[in-house]
Amino acid sequence: MSEQVKSFISKNLPLVDAHLIEAIGKQDIVESLKKSMIYSLEAGGKRVRPMLLLAVLEEFDTPLEKGFDVACALEYIHTYSLIHDDLPAMDNDDLRRGKPTNHVVFGEATAILAGDALLTEAFRLIAASSDYSAEQKVELLNLLAESAGALGMVGGQLMDMEAEDRRVELVHLQSIHANKTGALLRFSVVGGALLAGADQIERQALTRYAESLGVLFQIQDDILDVTSNSEKLGKTAGKDEAANKSTYPSLLTLEGAIEERSRYHQQAIEALQTIGKADGLLKSFADYITFREN
């Protein structure tokens, strides 16, 4: 991780983490449900999506406080998706972010409801925010629903499950992850651009950048699944191979996946070059996502 990204995250991550918990803590939520929600939020994680949204604001000289509600909404949706992904009916995992998964601690029923609650809280947080105009709220909520739902993450998750135990073509794998992983990352960047008042050309370039990041994130996930270990990852390593899932290394070989990673990394940088942002914080985030170790 570059010093630029490390400094940015170390400064802003505690603020986002505090906002995440505060927004839940002050709600009159059934105590057992609240504990389950906060348990998974406090497990930590890279917070790539909220940090990326704030990085866009930073690059466009927009006060970061303007993005806190959307950044937290993003992390609520990401955390809900992890709670549900880990359930026995889906990935059936007992380790997440180095801690027992939510359903292991609270039971399946409470874990499902905690995920449901985080999902809906994301939309309430944006709708209730005093930091956005009515027009911004409508556009943000529409984009977020599209990114998180059947047209984005949820649809991609089902495609991913249906691809287990069979070999799929590379173009199909890319389509899966453009939705499952890429959709929320794309929203992070496009949502940040919306809040920063970026013009149409800038938004188009940032969308291309974000689409490359989505693929990069998944390629690196696949590479780490075969080259790292559970302790370093904070989740069970080798699960893709155990589930007989098509991955970039399985389709392209490990060396081919590394080459594909380099190609998408270059595409992300080229998208930033078109708007004069290829030597700043967003470029450093592309480097971080490409070469992260967990």
Side-chain angles (χ1 to χ4, degrees), residues 13 17 20-21 38-48 75 78-79 82 96-99:
L13 184 58
D17 281 346
L20 279 171
I21 305 304
I38 290 176
Y39 174 82
S40 288
L41 289 170
E42 288 185 335
K46 297 177 284 295
R47 311 288 199 220
V48 169
E75 193 61 25
H78 178 56
T79 300
L82 299 182
R96 172 66 67 177
R97 293 171 171 171
K99 296 174 64 175

Coordinates of all heavy atoms in Angstrom, one line a residue, residues 13 17 20-21 38-48 75 78-79 82 96-99:
L13 N -10.5 6.4 7.9 CA -11.2 5.2 8.3 C -11.8 5.3 9.7 O -13.0 4.8 9.9 CB -10.2 4.0 8.2 CG -10.8 2.6 8.5 CD1 -12.0 2.3 7.6 CD2 -9.7 1.5 8.4
D17 N -15.7 4.5 10.4 CA -16.1 3.4 11.4 C -17.0 4.0 12.5 O -18.0 3.3 12.9 CB -14.8 2.8 12.0 CG -14.2 1.8 11.1 OD1 -14.8 1.4 10.1 OD2 -13.0 1.5 11.3
L20 N -20.5 4.6 11.1 CA -21.1 3.3 10.8 C -21.9 2.9 12.1 O -23.1 2.5 12.0 CB -20.1 2.2 10.5 CG -19.6 2.1 9.0 CD1 -18.5 1.1 9.0 CD2 -20.7 1.7 8.1
I21 N -21.2 2.9 13.2 CA -21.8 2.4 14.4 C -22.8 3.4 15.0 O -23.8 3.0 15.6 CB -20.7 2.0 15.4 CG1 -19.7 1.1 14.8 CG2 -21.3 1.4 16.7 CD1 -20.3 -0.2 14.3
I38 N -24.1 -4.9 14.5 CA -22.9 -4.2 14.9 C -21.7 -5.2 15.0 O -20.6 -4.8 14.7 CB -23.0 -3.5 16.3 CG1 -24.0 -2.3 16.1 CG2 -21.7 -3.1 16.9 CD1 -24.3 -1.6 17.4
Y39 N -22.0 -6.4 15.3 CA -20.9 -7.5 15.4 C -20.2 -7.5 14.0 O -18.9 -7.5 14.0 CB -21.5 -8.8 15.7 CG -20.5 -10.0 15.6 CD1 -19.6 -10.2 16.7 CD2 -20.4 -10.8 14.5 CE1 -18.7 -11.3 16.6 CE2 -19.5 -11.8 14.4 CZ -18.7 -12.1 15.5 OH -17.8 -13.1 15.4
S40 N -20.9 -7.6 12.9 CA -20.3 -7.8 11.6 C -19.7 -6.4 11.2 O -18.7 -6.4 10.5 CB -21.3 -8.3 10.6 OG -21.6 -9.6 10.8
L41 N -20.3 -5.3 11.5 CA -19.7 -4.0 11.2 C -18.4 -3.8 11.9 O -17.4 -3.3 11.3 CB -20.7 -2.9 11.5 CG -21.9 -2.8 10.7 CD1 -22.9 -1.7 11.3 CD2 -21.5 -2.4 9.2
E42 N -18.3 -4.2 13.2 CA -17.1 -4.0 14.0 C -16.0 -5.1 13.7 O -14.9 -4.9 14.1 CB -17.4 -4.1 15.5 CG -18.2 -2.8 15.9 CD -18.4 -2.8 17.4 OE1 -18.4 -3.9 18.1 OE2 -18.5 -1.7 18.0
A43 N -16.3 -6.1 12.8 CA -15.3 -7.0 12.4 C -14.2 -6.4 11.6 O -13.2 -6.9 11.3 CB -15.9 -8.2 11.7
G44 N -14.5 -5.1 11.1 CA -13.5 -4.4 10.4 C -13.6 -4.7 8.9 O -14.7 -4.7 8.3
G45 N -12.4 -4.9 8.3 CA -12.4 -5.1 6.9 C -11.6 -3.9 6.2 O -11.2 -3.0 6.9
K46 N -11.4 -4.0 4.9 CA -10.7 -3.1 4.2 C -11.4 -1.8 4.0 O -10.8 -0.7 3.7 CB -10.2 -3.7 2.8 CG -9.3 -4.9 3.0 CD -9.0 -5.5 1.6 CE -10.1 -6.3 1.0 NZ -10.5 -7.5 1.8
R47 N -12.7 -1.8 4.0 CA -13.6 -0.6 3.7 C -13.2 0.0 2.4 O -13.2 1.2 2.3 CB -13.4 0.4 4.8 CG -13.6 -0.1 6.3 CD -15.0 -0.5 6.6 NE -15.2 -0.5 8.1 CZ -15.9 -1.4 8.7 NH1 -16.6 -2.4 8.0 NH2 -16.1 -1.4 10.0
V48 N -12.9 -0.8 1.4 CA -12.5 -0.3 0.1 C -13.5 0.6 -0.5 O -13.2 1.7 -1.0 CB -12.1 -1.5 -0.9 CG1 -11.9 -0.9 -2.3 CG2 -10.9 -2.2 -0.4
E75 N -21.1 0.5 2.9 CA -20.5 -0.5 3.8 C -21.6 -1.3 4.4 O -21.4 -2.5 4.7 CB -19.6 0.1 4.9 CG -18.8 -0.9 5.6 CD -17.8 -1.6 4.7 OE1 -17.4 -1.1 3.6 OE2 -17.4 -2.7 5.1
H78 N -22.4 -3.8 1.7 CA -21.4 -4.8 1.6 C -21.4 -5.8 2.7 O -21.2 -7.0 2.6 CB -20.0 -4.1 1.5 CG -18.8 -5.0 1.4 ND1 -18.7 -5.9 0.4 CD2 -17.7 -5.1 2.2 CE1 -17.6 -6.6 0.6 NE2 -17.0 -6.1 1.7
T79 N -21.5 -5.3 4.0 CA -21.5 -6.2 5.1 C -22.7 -7.1 5.1 O -22.6 -8.3 5.5 CB -21.5 -5.3 6.4 OG1 -20.3 -4.5 6.4 CG2 -21.5 -6.2 7.7
L82 N -22.0 -10.0 2.9 CA -21.0 -10.9 3.5 C -21.7 -11.8 4.5 O -21.5 -13.1 4.5 CB -19.9 -10.2 4.2 CG -19.0 -9.3 3.3 CD1 -17.9 -8.7 4.1 CD2 -18.4 -10.1 2.1
R96 N -14.9 -15.1 8.9 CA -15.0 -13.9 8.1 C -14.2 -12.7 8.8 O -14.5 -12.5 10.0 CB -16.4 -13.5 7.9 CG -16.7 -12.1 7.2 CD -16.2 -12.1 5.8 NE -17.0 -12.9 4.9 CZ -16.9 -13.0 3.6 NH1 -15.9 -12.3 3.0 NH2 -17.6 -13.8 2.9
R97 N -13.3 -12.1 8.1 CA -12.5 -11.0 8.7 C -11.8 -11.5 9.9 O -11.7 -10.7 10.9 CB -13.4 -9.8 8.9 CG -13.9 -9.1 7.6 CD -14.9 -8.0 7.9 NE -15.2 -7.3 6.7 CZ -16.2 -6.4 6.6 NH1 -17.0 -6.2 7.6 NH2 -16.4 -5.8 5.4
G98 N -11.4 -12.8 10.0 CA -10.7 -13.3 11.1 C -11.5 -13.6 12.3 O -11.0 -14.0 13.3
K99 N -12.9 -13.5 12.2 CA -13.7 -13.8 13.3 C -14.8 -14.8 12.9 O -15.1 -15.0 11.7 CB -14.4 -12.5 13.8 CG -13.5 -11.5 14.3 CD -14.3 -10.2 14.6 CE -15.3 -10.3 15.7 NZ -15.9 -9.0 16.0

